[in-house]
Amino acid sequence: MGGPSHDSSDFFTDKSAKIFVAGHRGLVGSAIVRKLQSFGFTNLVLRSHSELDLTRQSDVDSFFAAEKPQFVILAAAKVGGIHANNTYPADFIAINLQIQTNVIDSSFRHGVKKLLFLGSSCIYPKLAPQPIPENALLTGPLEPTNEWYAIAKISGIKMCQAYRIQYNWDAISGMPTNLYGPNDNFHPENSHVLPALMRRFHEAKVNQANEVVVWGTGSPLREFLHVDDLADAVVFLMEKYSGLEHLNVGSGKEVTIKELAELVKEVVGFEGELVWDTSKPDGTPRKLMDSSKLLGLGWTPKISLKDGLVDTYKWYVENVVKQ
């Protein structure tokens, strides 16, 4: 029990099996729904927040009693940037713990065959070795700016492990790296670096600005994974993996912030100058996840950063700009 299995769930054998994708409207959940539909799955159970509040235990239990899904993919979470985590720490720890606990426990008690819980790379210590292996978990202090969210996600991993150990129930966890793609958050104040750059270059192009100023030197290294690649990995894990340990899900490819900014500038078609404000801080010099265990099982990402940026920019123009 607890070791990897390569014939775990026969996930692909019944395309009419009932699958509950929690959080189907978000960046991750929407990509998982698209991927499952592309594979021919026909019985997806989807509920918006207004239809089912996952923080309410009795509502979640009633939903599982009525629907009885065979598989659950838990992509629902309260997420946000540094400012949001600092401002609403109670929300980030309480809401995420409530969602996870309710969905995981109800899944087990109502006969779900397999559950996949999705977390985040922020579960790892602030000073984790680079690239970050799975066994770096709980080896040091967390990044203080998002520890409330991280503690909740770590609890989700441990809950899946505990139910596997105590009940021999097939609950697994995947920890994605930095994600981007359709349905990302392009908010001017609280979006992540990639959508923030895309928005700024687009607005500079539209306003015919001469330059875009970006903080720092551009030297920090980051890893990005297109959300459609994550969705592909999710389906792979549902079919192929039934281990105790959580698995990292990353591209394994690093890019400097400078390279990223220049690529986004090119994709957007901004003709002006890119200026680096070196008086501003750079942040962590390197953040890369070690995804060798997942890659060793036979999964590989398929979308290059350039192709992924083109796809994301097309979505941004059609869905954010035109609103």
Side-chain angles (χ1 to χ4, degrees):
M1 184 181 66
S5 163
H6 297 274
D7 54 355
S8 65
S9 63
D10 303 319
F11 184 65
F12 273 107
T13 55
D14 182 6
K15 296 290 178 67
S16 64
K18 194 178 275 193
I19 305 170
F20 175 43
V21 181
H24 74 282
R25 286 186 170 173
L27 171 68
V28 173
S30 60
I32 292 168
V33 169
R34 288 195 302 274
K35 188 65 68 175
L36 289 170
Q37 289 171 338
S38 76
F39 277 120
F41 288 92
T42 57
N43 201 357
L44 305 185
V45 183
L46 310 173
R47 294 288 187 277
S48 66
H49 178 72
S50 60
E51 292 168 323
L52 176 62
D53 183 346
L54 296 174
T55 67
R56 298 175 67 93
Q57 185 180 14
S58 60
D59 292 2
V60 174
D61 199 63
S62 298
F63 163 78
F64 274 90
E67 291 292 339
K68 294 209 176 327
Q70 288 170 263
F71 300 99
V72 172
I73 298 167
L74 180 42
K78 179 172 180 60
V79 297
I82 291 171
H83 177 71
N85 270 268
N86 283 338
T87 312
Y88 309 108
D91 290 355
F92 278 91
I93 193 163
I95 291 171
N96 283 304
L97 284 173
Q98 287 164 345
I99 290 170
Q100 295 161 200
T101 305
N102 293 342
V103 173
I104 294 169
D105 186 65
S106 285
S107 294
F108 168 69
R109 286 187 298 103
H110 291 283
V112 167
K113 191 173 178 183
K114 183 170 188 172
L115 176 141
L116 169 59
F117 169 70
L118 288 166
S120 156
S121 59
C122 75
I123 62 167
Y124 292 113
K126 182 177 182 177
L127 302 177
Q130 299 290 335
I132 309 171
E134 285 90 352
N135 64 10
L137 185 66
L138 296 175
T139 58
L142 298 163
E143 170 62 59
T145 53
N146 59 19
E147 66 176 344
W148 318 104
Y149 177 76
I151 287 286
K153 288 294 177 184
I154 293 168
S155 299
I157 294 171
K158 290 298 171 187
M159 192 166 176
C160 288
Q161 291 177 342
Y163 276 62
R164 178 177 292 277
I165 291 165
Q166 186 170 333
Y167 300 117
N168 198 22
W169 183 53
D170 197 1
I172 60 172
S173 299
M175 298 298 122
T177 187
N178 299 313
L179 301 167
Y180 72 99
N183 289 313
D184 207 342
N185 171 20
F186 289 87
H187 190 278
E189 269 87 57
N190 59 19
S191 57
H192 294 120
V193 60
L194 193 154
L197 283 170
M198 189 167 282
R199 182 183 184 116
R200 290 183 63 200
F201 280 119
H202 175 80
E203 290 177 350
K205 180 178 82 167
V206 169
N207 297 326
Q208 298 182 320
N210 294 322
E211 64 179 35
V212 168
V213 179
V214 183
W215 280 22
T217 64
S219 65
L221 288 158
R222 293 293 181 269
E223 175 188 25
F224 296 95
L225 184 71
H226 193 284
V227 72
D228 288 349
D229 269 337
L230 170 64
D232 191 63
V234 163
V235 174
F236 179 88
L237 289 170
M238 289 297 286
E239 173 70 11
K240 299 285 189 185
Y241 184 72
S242 285
L244 180 69
E245 188 176 38
H246 68 280
L247 286 185
N248 289 340
V249 185
S251 64
K253 294 184 171 66
E254 292 179 285
V255 61
T256 65
I257 296 296
K258 186 172 190 292
E259 290 167 333
L260 175 67
E262 287 169 349
L263 204 50
V264 173
K265 177 177 182 280
E266 179 191 332
V267 166
V268 170
F270 175 64
E271 303 284 338
E273 291 295 311
L274 173 54
V275 178
W276 295 93
D277 183 355
T278 55
S279 69
K280 296 293 195 295
D282 263 337
T284 309
R286 187 185 190 208
K287 192 175 178 191
L288 172 69
M289 289 174 56
D290 181 351
S291 301
S292 57
K293 288 189 174 171
L294 174 60
L295 299 175
L297 293 175
W299 180 81
T300 50
K302 299 171 182 65
I303 302 168
S304 72
L305 185 57
K306 175 75 180 287
D307 290 346
L309 288 173
V310 169
D311 166 74
T312 305
Y313 184 56
K314 182 173 182 286
W315 184 89
Y316 170 74
V317 170
E318 290 174 357
N319 294 275
V320 181
V321 177
K322 289 183 178 175
Q323 284 180 354

